[in-house]
Amino acid sequence: MEPMSDRDAELEMRRRSRRAFLVGGGALLAGAAGWRWLLSTASEDGLHAPFRRVLGLNEKIAGEYFNSSHLAPVFPPDRARMPRANGDIGLSDGFDPATWQLTVAGPDNGQAPARTFTLDDIRRLPRVDMVTELKCIEGWSEVVHWGGARMIDFMTMYALGTRSGQAPDPQHRQDDLLRYVAMETPDKAYFVGLEMASAIHPQTLLCYEMNGKPLAPEHGAPLRLVTPVKYGIKHIKRIGTIRFSDQRPDDYWAKEGYDWYAGL
Ligand SMILES: Nc1nc2c(c(=O)[nH]1)N[C@H]1C(S)=C(S)[C@@H](COP(=O)(O)O)O[C@H]1N2
Ligand SMILES: [Mo]
């Protein structure tokens, strides 16, 4: 192909971004953060050098972070159904949602004290509606309408997941992000690990609603993870603790022999 001028590249980038915006239905609900992410989707492999100049990305960022920013398909809301409640590990009896708090711990270096959040702290974040397919590794899937907040918005609003203690800025300060996120149920019986790129993916949500209703206990009330770029095993229900770390976290099903990434 002909080399592009910076000007051409900029126009092309705008065009692609606009198209990505229209195609990515869920992204219609996206705010500025989502827009930034959609721009970043145009930075995947196969683009001209001018593109990269326009975007101001270095190879490392483009490769490690933004390649995984592809969007999972979204569906019209009337396609949504209630999936079976599947898997109750970590959903032990005697749990009181009224006294639930989300604990967020930094890396295990004893520096950042743990912080706690209420459900209202999550509800205060920009609400995202997302209709995506929940795919279980056992072979079934269901389209579900989720309501919740983006993980990246949670991290940005409360300045979480970085070495500096500042709000994450994946495009400009990638090295400031810790490499992994671990989540576990309050009783620690179920736990998942995510690489940071997936944690900050625009479709990775902390969900408190399912098909227009508050999350039911068997589906993970008060708060669960949904990340349609991964199989259901990663969609931990009833999150109790989130920990940011540079060590790849343990993962319940990975320990049983499933792929740690469980990506789709
Ligand atoms: N705490 C907890 N979360 C969990 C599980 C589990 O056993 N315990 N199972 C996972 C699996 S295998 C799937 S497919 C989804 C199913 O979500 P659902 O019950 O809302 O359909 O939850 C995931 N999250
Ligand atoms: Mo599953």
Side-chain angles (χ1 to χ4, degrees), residues 86 135-138 140 190 231-233 253:
N86 199 58
K135 293 189 182 179
C136 177
I137 223 147
E138 292 163 2
W140 57 269
Y190 198 80
Y231 276 106
I233 48 177
W253 285 110

Side-chain angles (χ1 to χ4, degrees), residues 82-91 134-138 140 142 144 146 184-187 189-192 210 215-216 218-220 224-225 231-239 252-253:
M82 209 56 178
R84 73 193 76 171
N86 199 58
D88 61 359
I89 305 156
L91 307 186
L134 171 64
K135 293 189 182 179
C136 177
I137 223 147
E138 292 163 2
W140 57 269
E142 197 73 89
V144 180
W146 304 102
E184 62 184 17
T185 52
D187 68 1
Y190 198 80
F191 41 91
V192 301
M210 198 173 175
L215 213 53
E218 63 274 23
H219 290 291
R224 72 174 293 167
L225 188 75
Y231 276 106
I233 48 177
K234 293 287 186 184
H235 300 213
I236 181 173
K237 299 186 276 192
R238 195 191 284 177
I239 306 170
Y252 185 91
W253 285 110

Side-chain angles (χ1 to χ4, degrees), residues 160-251:
L160 301 168
T162 58
R163 296 165 212 287
S164 65
Q166 296 180 319
D169 181 356
Q171 283 205 57
H172 302 108
R173 288 186 291 122
Q174 186 205 338
D175 290 344
D176 193 30
L177 284 166
L178 289 148
R179 294 177 60 199
Y180 297 100
V181 184
M183 300 190 185
E184 62 184 17
T185 52
D187 68 1
K188 306 187 190 311
Y190 198 80
F191 41 91
V192 301
L194 298 172
E195 73 284 7
M196 185 57 81
S198 293
I200 64 177
H201 185 280
Q203 291 175 308
T204 297
L205 308 186
L206 298 170
C207 284
Y208 43 77
E209 270 185 35
M210 198 173 175
N211 294 339
K213 296 195 195 75
L215 213 53
E218 63 274 23
H219 290 291
L223 194 68
R224 72 174 293 167
L225 188 75
V226 173
T227 180
V229 293
K230 303 271 187 192
Y231 276 106
I233 48 177
K234 293 287 186 184
H235 300 213
I236 181 173
K237 299 186 276 192
R238 195 191 284 177
I239 306 170
T241 302
I242 297 178
R243 180 184 300 279
F244 297 95
S245 161
D246 278 327
Q247 274 81 50
R248 199 172 84 160
D250 263 359
D251 183 277

